[in-house]
Amino acid sequence: MGCKPNVVSRTTHSRFQVFGKQRARANWRKKARKRYGWRYRKWSKAEGRDYQVDIRGQDFLLYKIRAFGRPCK
């Protein structure tokens, strides 16, 4: 299907998991587009896409999230 090697976003920090995932996906798209071109920027077409989520905090939760997946055309 024309997939490229794995791309991993930078770690995003958020108090809300949904917003952290949005930012991680946006960073993933940016990295995939820069590395492999416009055809490979779509998160929805990536193979093996997922998130690495780390939860920290005592007074309030802080989510550290990274998106990863293999960009495909």
Side-chain angles (χ1 to χ4, degrees), residues 22-72:
Q22 286 175 350
R23 286 199 298 261
R25 283 192 310 267
N27 184 262
W28 183 93
R29 287 190 301 266
K30 183 178 176 182
K31 284 180 92 172
R33 183 189 69 218
K34 187 175 182 179
R35 192 173 295 169
Y36 302 117
W38 283 97
R39 288 183 171 182
Y40 294 93
R41 75 187 187 282
K42 293 191 177 187
W43 173 254
S44 62
K45 292 186 177 183
E47 280 188 357
R49 63 183 186 264
D50 204 359
Y51 302 96
Q52 176 187 3
V53 180
D54 184 25
I55 304 170
R56 303 276 171 140
Q58 294 175 352
D59 296 335
F60 62 90
L61 294 179
L62 178 65
Y63 293 94
K64 291 176 152 185
I65 302 171
R66 296 179 93 175
F68 60 89
R70 296 179 59 215
C72 302

